[in-house]
Amino acid sequence: MSETNPAATSEVAAPHRYTAATAAEIEARWQDFWDADGTYAAPNPKGDLAGDREIAARPKKFIMDMFPYPSGAGLHVGHPLGYIATDVFARFQRMTGHNVLHTLGFDAFGLPAEQYAVQTGTHPRVSTEANMENMKSQLRRLGLGHDKRRSFATIDPDYYKWTQWIFLQIFNSWYDHDARRARPIAELVAEFESGERPVPGHTRAWSELSAAEKADVLGEFRLAYASDAPVNWCPGLGTVLANEEVTAEGRSERGNFPVFKAKLRQWNMRITAYADRLLDDLEELDWPEAIKLQQRNWIGRSEGARVDFPIDGERITVFTTRPDTLFGATYMVLAPEHPLVEKFTPAAWPEGTHEVWTGGHATPAEAVAAYRAQAASKSDVERQAEAKDKTGVFIGAYATNPVNGEQVPVFIADYVLMGYGTGAIMAVPAGDQRDFEFARAFELPITCIVEPTDGRGTDTSTWEDAFSSYDAKIINSSNDEVSLDGLGVVEAKARITEWLESKGVGEGTVNFRLRDWLFSRQRYWGEPFPIVYDEDGIAHALPESMLPLELPEVEDYSPRTFDPDDADTQPETPLSRNEDWVNVTLDLGDGPKKYRRETNTMPNWAGSCWYELRYLDPHNSDKLVDPEIEQYWMGPREGRPHGGVDLYVGGAEHAVLHLLYARFWSKVLYDLGHVSSAEPFHKLFNQGMIQAYVYRDSRGIAVPAAEVEERDGAYYHQGEKVSRLLGKMGKSLKNAVTPDEICAEYGADTLRLYEMAMGPLDVSRPWDTRAVVGQFRLLQRLWRNIVDEATGEVTVVDAEPDEETLRALHKAIDGVRGDLEGMRFNTAIAKVTELNNHLTKAGGAVPRSVAEPLVLMVAPLAPHIAEELWRKLGHTDSVVHRDFPVADPQYVVDETVTCVVQVKGKVKARLEVSPSISEDELEKVALADEKVVAALGGAGIRKVIVRAPKLVNIVPA
């Protein structure tokens, strides 16, 4: 570091100056004190973490950061932005009379640790635990006020025992749509046994079904279930991925590998059962509207109708949001992977089959097989792209349009997805552009069923594109029993839906874009499923007494990966190679039997679906969480009917991943009576990102930012001109700045202040190391206003402050209090700076009655220096639990304010008036002012506009 840097300078004449060395000594000492004293221990109302009853009786605040993942690279200065912000807010809440729970654990299972382990040959537990220790050290140096008794990692068996336990609660539950809640699966079995509920798909009684048949029936109800279904298979990673983990380009979010559709047996969570509640309950949450909108769009609720198209004595069911267009349905399309395709595909083409429909294949089976192979190589995004060249093939069968009896050909085409609706559509080419283009390509009829309002006429042979309008009238849409002709869309939808229901060929219904959550991963480093299979392949839950099912130690923990472009591959899990662990003899209550363990592991999202609950009662080995403790911290109360964490801070990137999954788990636990909070997080705040400049050479390769020189507005690295672009901060971009560097050069308090002062917390901002010194100088001036740099003695006096200083103090208190409550930390720092500068300019000794509240205002932002100055001021307690200063109202309001008086829009006078002056009184004073009288020059007055106390605008006649 530069020898002339003010942070590293300690002049002989000022041995007690606040320097980097001073900051380092103070900060280390106070961090040790806080740990030894248990300063940040938040007492529970009962249990092993019960403590000071007086503190426990206070209003509570549960403040959380999103789970950090312990990366091997450690932290750069962008990572702690949210942690510092929650720490400042938590400290302020303690000082305003709250019992504050603020802690931090580690989300330590998952892909990054496993990939690092595969690359280095280090067991993921070893590398992950080393990374955690490094991060703990870095975070401690920032002075974060965490209750360390409550910290844990998701890889702790004591923790994932309860992750597995929650999985079993979900597995052993079903969703009762009539009651709108989850219920134990045993209650469903009792209804089947008593005959109260008919057994779906069977004419026999429940008692007459085999164990396998019963398991199949219950699998259609369970909230956690295994099924053979289309999944996102990523050969390059050797695992399947949830929809949310696949990018818009159809590649893996991690690693950017191609993702293909494959059919595999996987565990799923029936999150779709909660789609309505996940939507409805968003309304009561204090979340950013942008996040709510993303969840609404992802859940994708749409109202319409289910319609049955008869085919070969059976039916194909479609969902449509426009049942009013049924008379215009001239063909049908199934998703290529739809299970009915094989059922309705005949051995030969029907007589007269249009040549363009066959794809050039001799039989329907050959055409279907070839097209399916082609579609499997595309991602869902590619299949949904607006390509002009539509592809597909006729399956060789016709269905019947239920409203007009017309025979409509059935195709498969990749623009229809199995994951949306029923995986089948009725195609209305006159009203849908994709259907229109398909119909043109395959020479299919196009029936006009909405009267065009753009002058094109009803002859579709002349059309260049589809026409759709909610304002147009329905035409060509009637049969002997129902007519939609002349109706508007809304009325037509209602009438045709009523007719469909009366004929038993459809019903009004609601559909969702949301799909069930794929919950299996073909990895090693994750929670084992507490599931075993008997010799008949039936899944059995392990009893709670066998939890945790610990992850076994294995020599080879790498999944089998494949050529990233080879779609014709199958997963091979690391656990499947450990035969001694996989094949076991267990007594599950009916004697010892042989079983096979599930060899997939849970996704890395599992551990973060419920971690807020473990923070509450982290050592409980008997219950997920004590009900009284959960109710105390997270239970519903006025203004938050669903309960939840008081403040949750993290990035916006988890809008439809972690946040949606955690909400689902909370609702299941709530329904089953394990928690009182139906929502995990009441208030959500998304912090912005700290960005940094990325410098690239002529090859486009990033060069070390610290080695770049600026000359005449251009940037050079080792003499070569380089480009500069603002972007992310990271080790790979060679622009990372570590908090350790800044702490060493200036101290942690300076880093905290700089990150909070850079701008509004929810806005991204560029890092500028050169600007950090500004906050360091603020702390130096603060120190100098209280401590003599030559002697180290306190210089404050017991004299009364003058009125100007009192006003400056109380305005600062009022402003800083409001800003900290509103998480406007940058403006709070500006107000502290303004007061400190006032004291510096005033000269002389600072009155104690000003110095002490100033230190307390600084305490949430820069806690180490505040503790040190508080102790120097003669106090023996910590600032952490001191009351935050309260402003005296008489000093907050200015004694006078300046009122601008305008005549014909031009300023003619400035008046010093009382802030509380009435509009009538202000008008009289303004009109009597000699400058205003002169400006009017005897002219009459047409209008006087008064905005007390700051403006009078006079309009002459």
Side-chain angles (χ1 to χ4, degrees):
M1 299 303 171
S2 170
E3 293 182 6
T4 60
N5 190 298
T9 302
S10 181
E11 298 175 8
V12 175
H16 296 279
R17 174 174 293 176
Y18 184 81
T19 64
T22 308
E25 187 276 324
I26 289 171
E27 289 165 3
R29 178 158 41 82
W30 280 106
Q31 287 159 17
D32 289 343
F33 172 84
W34 293 330
D35 283 351
D37 183 61
T39 302
Y40 304 109
N44 277 347
K46 61 180 294 190
D48 68 315
L49 298 185
D52 190 317
R53 290 187 177 181
E54 184 181 337
I55 294 178
R58 295 174 182 173
K60 59 86 197 168
K61 286 285 183 184
F62 184 5
I63 298 166
M64 261 182 72
D65 299 279
M66 285 192 183
F67 240 175
Y69 194 90
S71 162
L75 299 176
H76 60 63
V77 292
H79 291 125
L81 178 66
Y83 306 150
I84 295 170
T86 54
D87 188 61
V88 173
F89 189 70
R91 290 175 180 276
F92 173 71
Q93 294 297 327
R94 288 190 193 95
M95 296 179 76
T96 51
H98 294 86
N99 182 19
V100 177
L101 194 168
H102 188 215
T103 189
L104 197 70
F106 295 92
D107 192 12
F109 272 131
L111 195 56
E114 188 172 280
Q115 286 181 317
Y116 180 78
V118 170
Q119 292 164 9
T120 62
T122 309
H123 193 283
R125 180 176 293 279
V126 173
S127 59
T128 301
E129 289 181 345
N131 295 343
M132 283 193 289
E133 288 307 310
N134 181 47
M135 277 186 71
K136 286 178 184 177
S137 174
Q138 289 184 299
L139 292 168
R140 184 180 190 271
R141 193 168 183 181
L142 297 173
L144 302 178
H146 293 148
D147 184 347
K148 295 179 181 177
R149 306 170 305 164
R150 298 175 183 266
S151 185
F152 55 80
T154 55
I155 59 176
D156 299 338
D158 287 346
Y159 179 81
Y160 69 73
K161 165 188 175 178
W162 295 106
T163 307
Q164 293 170 334
W165 182 88
I166 295 172
F167 173 84
L168 292 180
Q169 306 312 300
I170 299 172
F171 173 73
N172 285 319
S173 301
W174 64 290
Y175 196 80
D176 184 337
H177 286 277
D178 294 331
R180 290 198 83 211
R181 67 178 180 88
R183 293 172 56 193
I185 201 78
E187 294 180 8
L188 178 65
V189 171
E191 291 183 13
F192 287 148
E193 288 175 338
S194 68
E196 178 185 346
R197 180 183 294 267
V199 181
H202 292 276
T203 55
R204 291 172 291 152
W206 180 256
S207 59
E208 296 173 1
L209 301 185
S210 67
E213 288 174 321
K214 290 178 179 178
D216 287 343
V217 170
L218 295 180
E220 295 299 313
F221 287 84
R222 292 186 188 273
L223 287 178
Y225 65 95
S227 69
D228 292 312
V231 296
N232 301 307
W233 165 235
C234 182
L237 291 176
T239 189
V240 298
L241 301 172
N243 289 340
E244 297 86 347
E245 295 171 307
V246 182
T247 68
E249 292 73 36
R251 303 177 77 85
S252 61
E253 189 177 49
R254 183 169 294 278
N256 197 38
F257 293 112
V259 175
F260 304 93
K261 282 294 180 188
K263 202 167 188 179
L264 299 170
R265 189 159 186 82
Q266 302 288 306
W267 282 97
N268 297 272
M269 292 278 183
R270 206 179 300 274
I271 191 172
T272 50
Y274 283 83
D276 268 325
R277 284 171 62 186
L278 289 168
L279 268 178
D280 295 344
D281 291 354
L282 278 172
E283 300 303 319
E284 300 289 348
L285 300 182
D286 186 2
W287 284 21
E289 279 305 316
I291 300 294
K292 288 185 178 183
L293 181 61
Q294 285 184 69
Q295 290 217 352
R296 290 187 188 106
N297 290 342
W298 191 261
I299 295 167
R301 187 181 194 275
S302 53
E303 296 185 12
R306 175 187 60 76
V307 185
D308 296 333
F309 283 67
I311 179 172
D312 294 345
E314 298 192 44
R315 66 189 179 191
I316 296 174
T317 300
V318 304
F319 170 81
T320 175
T321 59
R322 294 292 305 273
D324 55 300
T325 65
L326 255 169
F327 285 90
T330 58
Y331 65 98
M332 299 189 75
V333 183
L334 302 181
E337 55 272 77
H338 199 296
L340 292 178
V341 173
E342 292 97 335
K343 192 170 195 176
F344 298 131
T345 300
W349 294 115
E351 186 177 345
T353 297
H354 200 313
E355 187 176 343
V356 75
W357 295 2
T358 67
H361 295 281
T363 67
E366 290 175 18
V368 166
Y371 190 80
R372 278 181 155 178
Q374 175 187 329
S377 66
K378 295 183 181 179
S379 70
D380 285 358
V381 174
E382 289 175 307
R383 286 170 58 170
Q384 293 268 280
E386 296 294 333
K388 290 294 180 185
D389 295 329
K390 289 290 181 280
T391 63
V393 69
F394 178 47
I395 70 167
Y398 290 83
T400 303
N401 186 326
V403 296
N404 57 20
E406 291 184 3
Q407 295 296 289
V408 293
V410 181
F411 287 77
I412 56 173
D414 60 12
Y415 75 93
V416 176
L417 302 178
M418 194 63 219
Y420 181 76
T422 64
I425 68 164
M426 60 175 212
V428 183
D432 181 275
Q433 188 60 27
R434 291 181 306 173
D435 294 348
F436 182 89
E437 290 163 3
F438 191 94
R440 282 281 193 258
F442 288 86
E443 301 177 18
L444 291 156
I446 299 174
T447 302
C448 178
I449 36 79
V450 175
E451 188 171 27
T453 56
D454 59 0
R456 68 172 68 190
T458 60
D459 181 1
T460 59
S461 65
T462 65
W463 289 11
E464 296 182 1
D465 56 12
F467 174 81
S468 180
S469 172
Y470 265 80
D471 298 325
K473 298 297 183 184
I474 305 295
I475 60 173
N476 299 328
S477 297
S478 64
N479 59 31
D480 292 341
E481 297 178 351
V482 64
S483 174
L484 310 182
D485 293 342
L487 299 180
V489 171
V490 174
E491 190 179 355
K493 286 172 71 172
R495 184 171 296 184
I496 194 64
T497 300
E498 183 182 350
W499 183 84
L500 290 168
E501 291 175 346
S502 72
K503 305 299 288 184
V505 292
E507 64 177 352
T509 188
V510 173
N511 194 56
F512 295 92
R513 177 178 180 268
L514 180 69
R515 299 296 90 197
D516 281 345
W517 172 18
L518 181 69
F519 200 70
S520 296
R521 296 296 181 273
Q522 291 66 47
R523 316 295 302 190
Y524 166 70
W525 194 234
E527 298 91 342
F529 281 91
I531 293 288
V532 292
Y533 300 91
D534 63 23
E535 292 177 334
D536 295 322
I538 298 171
H540 298 265
L542 291 181
E544 187 177 331
S545 61
M546 291 187 182
L547 302 182
L549 173 60
E550 295 198 28
L551 190 65
E553 294 294 323
V554 298
E555 291 184 10
D556 180 9
Y557 36 76
S558 57
R560 185 180 178 191
T561 57
F562 303 88
D563 179 333
D565 296 307
D566 187 357
D568 192 23
T569 47
Q570 291 278 321
E572 179 187 294
T573 65
L575 290 180
S576 67
R577 299 192 286 265
N578 189 342
E579 292 190 10
D580 290 342
W581 184 82
V582 173
N583 299 302
V584 291
T585 299
L586 301 172
D587 186 348
L588 301 184
D590 53 355
K593 292 183 180 179
K594 291 181 178 180
Y595 295 95
R596 177 178 54 84
R597 295 196 192 278
E598 172 63 68
T599 59
N600 287 314
T601 52
M602 298 185 197
N604 59 304
W605 307 107
S608 59
C609 274
W610 71 281
Y611 70 122
E612 71 283 354
L613 297 173
R614 193 61 174 175
Y615 283 151
L616 308 181
D617 196 11
H619 311 131
N620 197 331
S621 57
D622 299 322
K623 291 181 180 177
L624 177 73
V625 60
D626 184 281
E628 185 179 336
I629 294 172
E630 186 272 336
Q631 171 76 35
Y632 172 83
W633 287 111
M634 290 185 61
R637 60 186 193 276
E638 188 176 354
R640 51 191 69 192
H642 304 304
V645 172
D646 294 287
L647 175 66
Y648 192 39
V649 174
E653 64 272 15
H654 294 306
V656 295
L657 286 160
H658 158 63
L659 289 173
L660 200 59
Y661 299 156
R663 294 183 64 215
F664 165 55
W665 277 36
S666 284
K667 291 186 183 305
V668 177
L669 292 171
Y670 171 78
D671 287 354
L672 298 176
H674 299 301
V675 297
S676 67
S677 48
E679 287 284 344
F681 315 115
H682 172 70
K683 181 178 176 65
L684 174 70
F685 189 98
N686 296 132
Q687 86 273 17
M689 181 188 298
I690 290 184
Q691 300 169 305
Y693 287 108
V694 183
Y695 300 90
R696 298 185 184 275
D697 61 20
S698 57
R699 302 167 296 168
I701 296 174
V703 301
E707 299 173 10
V708 173
E709 298 177 355
E710 182 180 358
R711 296 199 302 268
D712 301 324
Y715 302 91
Y716 297 87
H717 178 255
Q718 297 179 353
E720 180 191 351
K721 193 172 182 179
V722 294
S723 65
R724 183 179 85 153
L725 189 67
L726 193 61
K728 287 185 176 182
M729 181 180 285
K731 190 175 180 181
S732 63
L733 298 173
K734 300 182 181 179
N735 62 356
V737 179
T738 69
D740 309 61
E741 296 172 57
I742 304 301
C743 288
E745 192 166 357
Y746 297 105
D749 280 338
T750 294
L751 174 61
R752 290 170 62 103
L753 281 176
Y754 177 66
E755 294 214 359
M756 294 299 96
M758 291 171 76
L761 185 60
D762 58 349
V763 175
S764 293
R765 73 294 302 270
W767 177 268
D768 183 359
T769 299
R770 295 169 300 178
V772 178
V773 70
Q775 297 306 316
F776 182 72
R777 286 175 179 147
L778 166 61
L779 295 180
Q780 286 187 311
R781 286 192 294 270
L782 171 67
W783 182 270
R784 226 171 9 247
N785 278 328
I786 296 173
V787 177
D788 187 304
E789 292 183 334
T791 66
E793 296 298 316
V794 170
T795 59
V796 301
V797 294
D798 291 327
E800 288 296 315
D802 58 46
E803 186 158 328
E804 186 182 359
T805 298
L806 277 173
R807 290 193 179 281
L809 170 65
H810 288 280
K811 280 186 177 182
I813 292 172
D814 182 63
V816 172
R817 177 182 276 265
D819 286 344
L820 293 181
E821 183 65 52
M823 300 179 70
R824 298 182 297 272
F825 304 127
N826 58 320
T827 54
I829 292 170
K831 291 178 174 71
V832 168
T833 304
E834 187 178 349
L835 174 60
N836 197 54
N837 288 347
H838 168 84
L839 298 176
T840 301
K841 290 173 184 175
V846 176
R848 177 178 290 274
S849 60
V850 178
E852 292 191 349
L854 174 58
V855 169
L856 293 174
M857 277 190 279
V858 168
L861 296 153
H864 308 90
I865 193 172
E867 289 277 32
E868 188 70 10
L869 292 174
W870 192 247
R871 188 59 59 95
K872 285 183 177 293
L873 286 166
H875 300 282
T876 56
D877 60 341
S878 166
V879 293
V880 171
H881 293 288
R882 270 277 174 165
D883 290 341
F884 197 84
V886 178
D888 185 334
Q890 69 174 317
Y891 294 114
V892 171
V893 179
D894 287 330
E895 194 169 13
T896 63
V897 296
T898 301
C899 174
V900 173
V901 184
Q902 296 177 332
V903 178
K904 287 200 287 191
K906 294 183 178 180
V907 177
K908 296 300 180 182
R910 285 183 171 84
L911 311 175
E912 294 299 316
V913 298
S914 166
S916 59
I917 192 170
S918 69
E919 291 191 352
D920 289 343
E921 182 63 25
L922 182 56
E923 182 178 336
K924 290 176 185 176
V925 172
L927 292 175
D929 184 84
E930 58 184 28
K931 293 179 181 177
V932 174
V933 172
L936 287 169
I941 298 171
R942 182 159 63 89
K943 192 175 186 181
V944 179
I945 302 167
V946 182
R947 297 288 183 266
K950 293 188 174 182
L951 176 68
V952 177
N953 191 7
I954 301 168
V955 182

